[in-house]
Amino acid sequence: MSVLIEAIDLVKRFPVGKRKLHAVDGLNFHIETGETVGLVGESGCGKSTLVRLLTRTLEITDGHIRFHGHGIALIPPRSMARHPLRREIQMVFQDPTDSLNPRYTARETIAESARLLTDTRDSTKLSALVEETADHVGLARELLDRYPHQLSGGQKARVGIARAIVVKPRLLILDEPTAALDVSVQAVILQLLDRLKREMRMSFLFVSHDLNVVRLLCDRVMVMYLGQIVETGPAQDVFLRPLHPYTKALIASLPGGLTGGAATEADLLVGGDPQSPIDPAPNRCRLQGRCPRGFERCGHEAPALRAIEDHRQVACHLA
């Protein structure tokens, strides 16, 4: 496999008066061609900010993003909408209802993406492309002339996916794509996404709070905490043998457990609030105060993300 997208020392800070909120703080990672990478972490850890940086809808503070060998970090968000690489990076949003224009039919929604990001202008060819894409995602053609309020949650999800894949992207970023759906519909949509990935040879960045889905769908997992990646590795390895205390806490919180005893109640985070992301202490582990295994060194030396074994990296003094 070859590297499709790579982040190098990626930083995003937001001004808060005279201080800075460290939303994304020095991330280094890559996604390979045809790979599905899961991104997990509690709310407020920086996942959504990272997604906006990768899709170039938000200015970066520092660092680099390379997509298929091209540097894209300096492309202004306003310019990215018309940039030739825009069609290569597409997104499926969390809530299919909120992400669809209520004034557009399903056909118009899918066609607009193709019209803006490809050279297809002929109405006949555009209609044929929309119908072909609808068939690909399992959306009945008789539904194409309906508005979002006339569609079920699963049908709206298919419209959102069709809008993203109609331009044949290389990278599809999925932000909690099934969170707003019924459980039975979630399974069908996840099966659809898995099939599309294989057939279209796309790469996925799958952002989710549902660890069971991440384990089943993803090749590799990145765990974020307060703007930093604290663990990354093959999904099965991370879930069966988590190495970072925060990863262990996430897995231990799953109903019924997932790892056959690899994470227990003793791994749950201790009480207390997370550290503030506003000007965090640079020489302190960000999990200190919540970590059940913290010790003195954690208070004066921030652990770096380092290779522990093949294909695994962990930011913890205990690893």
Side-chain angles (χ1 to χ4, degrees):
M1 291 186 181
S2 59
V3 173
L4 179 64
I5 191 166
E6 181 179 20
I8 305 166
D9 297 327
L10 191 60
V11 173
K12 179 60 183 179
R13 298 185 182 126
F14 295 97
V16 181
K18 294 182 178 180
R19 307 175 71 187
K20 299 288 186 181
L21 187 152
H22 294 229
V24 169
D25 210 359
L27 299 195
N28 290 277
F29 67 89
H30 70 276
I31 299 174
E32 296 181 352
T33 301
E35 183 181 33
T36 298
V37 174
L39 180 63
V40 302
E42 62 194 50
S43 297
C45 72
K47 302 188 302 295
S48 296
T49 300
L50 175 58
V51 165
R52 293 184 64 193
L53 295 176
L54 296 179
T55 55
R56 300 306 306 117
T57 57
L58 182 66
E59 292 280 10
I60 72 168
T61 301
D62 201 2
H64 305 277
I65 303 172
R66 296 191 64 80
F67 181 79
H68 201 60
H70 301 278
I72 64 172
L74 297 181
I75 301 174
R78 288 187 178 183
S79 301
M80 188 63 180
R82 300 290 182 179
H83 195 279
L85 287 176
R86 180 67 184 89
R87 63 177 292 182
E88 306 281 0
I89 306 174
Q90 290 294 300
M91 186 166 175
V92 176
F93 298 92
Q94 178 174 346
D95 192 327
T97 299
D98 289 344
S99 65
L100 299 179
N101 190 329
R103 297 183 179 182
Y104 281 15
T105 64
R107 183 186 301 275
E108 291 168 336
T109 295
I110 302 169
E112 182 187 38
S113 182
R115 185 168 52 249
L116 292 175
L117 299 175
T118 72
D119 295 329
T120 306
R121 297 291 183 272
D122 181 80
S123 59
T124 301
K125 292 181 179 179
L126 200 59
S127 180
L129 178 60
V130 169
E131 292 178 355
E132 177 187 346
T133 306
D135 294 342
H136 210 180
V137 302
L139 182 69
R141 292 189 180 186
E142 57 264 28
L143 299 177
L144 286 173
D145 293 315
R146 294 188 183 182
Y147 292 91
H149 72 275
Q150 298 173 312
L151 300 173
S152 69
Q155 291 165 349
K156 285 183 280 192
R158 292 177 191 272
V159 174
I161 295 170
R163 173 178 59 184
I165 70 166
V166 69
V167 295
K168 297 179 172 55
R170 294 183 182 180
L171 175 65
L172 193 61
I173 298 178
L174 302 124
D175 185 7
E176 297 275 6
T178 60
L181 303 176
D182 293 338
V183 174
S184 59
V185 180
Q186 287 182 14
V188 175
I189 295 301
L190 290 172
Q191 290 174 351
L192 168 64
L193 289 170
D194 186 58
R195 175 175 63 80
L196 291 175
K197 177 205 165 187
R198 288 183 280 105
E199 291 177 355
M200 301 182 68
R201 299 180 181 179
M202 291 183 290
S203 298
F204 283 0
L205 176 61
F206 192 89
V207 183
S208 181
H209 286 99
D210 192 329
L211 299 183
N212 288 300
V213 170
V214 170
R215 176 175 178 256
L216 293 172
L217 190 67
C218 299
D219 304 309
R220 190 158 50 89
V221 179
M222 297 191 301
V223 183
M224 278 191 75
Y225 184 76
L226 281 182
Q228 297 181 331
I229 294 174
V230 296
E231 181 167 359
T232 181
Q236 294 302 319
D237 292 349
V238 171
F239 280 99
L240 289 173
R241 191 166 54 89
L243 298 176
H244 194 280
Y246 180 65
T247 311
K248 291 183 179 182
L250 289 178
I251 294 174
S253 67
L254 288 169
L258 186 64
T259 62
T264 66
E265 286 189 8
D267 293 308
L268 292 172
L269 299 182
V270 299
D273 296 326
Q275 296 177 37
S276 173
I278 299 176
D279 291 339
N283 297 320
R284 177 187 179 192
C285 175
R286 295 189 181 180
L287 193 62
Q288 191 191 35
R290 300 181 75 196
C291 180
R293 303 175 185 273
F295 61 106
E296 182 181 358
R297 183 183 177 189
C298 306
H300 59 77
E301 182 184 341
L305 186 67
R306 55 193 175 91
I308 300 298
E309 52 194 51
D310 287 347
H311 309 297
R312 295 197 70 176
Q313 293 178 302
V314 183
C316 181
H317 296 309
L318 293 169

